Amino acid sequence: MKLGIVGLPNVGKSTLFNSLTSAGAESANYPFCTIDPNVGVVAVPDFRLKLLSDMYSSKKITPAVIEFVDIAGLVKGASKGEGLGNQFLANIREVDAIIHVVRCFEDTNVIHVDGSVDPARDIETINLELIFSDLEVLERRISKTARSAMNDKTAKKELETLNKLKAHLESGKTAKTLEAENDDEMAFISSLNLLTDKPVIYAANVSEDDLADDGASSPHVAKVREIAAAEGSGVFVISAQIEEEIAELDEEERKEFLSDLGLSESGLEKLIAASYDLLGLMSFLTAGETETRAWTIKKGTKAPQAAGKIHSDFERGFIKAEVVNYKELLDCGSYAAARDKGLIRIEGKDYVVADGDVILFRFNV
């Protein structure tokens, strides 16, 4: 999974990226300190892996991973080359979802490019730049499609969709808020890979004081939640400054620090949960002496396609899947004991994999 972190300059974007990935992206109190998109890969926390690894005495643990891309701070006019220009908008096209960091804290020591803290205005600024960039893409596509629409029914239908989408964007709305007429139209719009069609999670960056109640008392956070609800986006509250402090601690110190703040999980854990939920993802597990590993798949994935995440041969030569729930397996203490209790299920090609399934695939190629 690849997530792009965007936001106006000085909203805490690179500070958040640093704390999430410990990649050391430069962070400073002025716009455009991030000259190139920084990339960091982090492990998805999953307590099940350690428990299964201990049971199997696995030589290694391989968690699922998320790749974060820190996109340089966008400003008004970025789609037309203002600031660092629209080269950074191109980087966003490669991600699965956008993490939009919104400043929800007051601090006279940290300048705001527009002079004041206003989440609604900031969100609109970023969205408009993404819309402008998408309109450029659509205009090129319309020009190309119009030539073949004269003699091609499919192209004619595509042109109608493109023009409808263009009018929708020109009204200031994002592509994902356009209601498609049918599955075919939805698939076509998705194929355009528009920035404003990507799922969005708003990261409301708050002060430490607003963190304990999850931003419930902050009018800035309330506005972000209102906007997110209206467009079907995700939202979570985070303090990039606190996350930066947490990132420097070991696991025990981190738990104690969070507890002192009245928190049960870090911002990274919140973000991963929000990302999985928004994108409809989950993990199945494989375990053995060599390796215990988590594999990320879409909810609703059937056994052969899940097997294909491991290796294409597994999907091509799929025979069956031996499946057991991780908790039942751990309760039994061993695979053999789970089998003796009849907890190992033999599933075929139509089996829909469930979160936490421990699977052994049988295949032949």
Side-chain angles (χ1 to χ4, degrees), residues 116-240:
S116 63
V117 178
D118 184 341
R121 179 201 60 213
D122 293 355
I123 288 171
E124 183 181 34
T125 296
I126 296 291
N127 280 348
L128 283 174
E129 293 311 313
L130 302 184
I131 286 171
F132 292 148
S133 185
D134 280 348
L135 281 169
E136 286 185 17
V137 171
L138 284 180
E139 283 163 5
R140 287 196 297 269
R141 186 65 181 261
I142 286 170
S143 178
K144 181 181 175 183
T145 306
R147 291 194 290 270
S148 52
M150 305 282 286
N151 306 305
D152 186 324
K153 286 184 179 179
T154 301
K156 185 179 180 182
K157 186 64 181 171
E158 288 180 355
L159 185 60
E160 289 173 5
T161 299
L162 289 168
N163 282 319
K164 179 169 67 173
L165 190 52
K166 181 172 178 282
H168 185 75
L169 292 177
E170 285 174 339
S171 70
K173 297 172 185 172
T174 58
K176 63 175 172 283
T177 61
L178 177 70
E179 288 189 23
E181 289 181 8
N182 49 51
D183 290 344
D184 288 342
E185 185 172 69
M186 188 182 297
F188 173 65
I189 292 171
S190 180
S191 73
L192 298 171
N193 198 26
L194 298 174
L195 299 177
T196 62
D197 195 34
K198 291 184 182 295
V200 172
I201 301 171
Y202 290 107
N205 187 14
V206 300
S207 64
E208 181 181 332
D209 293 340
D210 287 327
L211 196 58
D213 67 354
D214 203 35
S217 57
S218 167
H220 293 323
V221 174
K223 176 53 69 174
V224 174
R225 286 189 168 129
E226 181 187 325
I227 292 168
E231 62 184 44
S233 295
V235 61
F236 74 106
V237 175
I238 195 168
S239 170

Side-chain angles (χ1 to χ4, degrees), residues 46-55 61 292:
D46 193 334
F47 71 93
R48 302 172 296 192
L49 295 175
K50 177 69 167 63
L51 297 173
L52 287 169
S53 175
D54 288 345
M55 192 183 88
I61 295 175
T292 292

Side-chain angles (χ1 to χ4, degrees), residues 46 48-49 62-64 283-286 292-296:
D46 193 334
R48 302 172 296 192
L49 295 175
T62 306
S283 295
F284 74 90
L285 313 163
T286 55
T292 292
R293 183 165 183 165
W295 305 86
T296 301

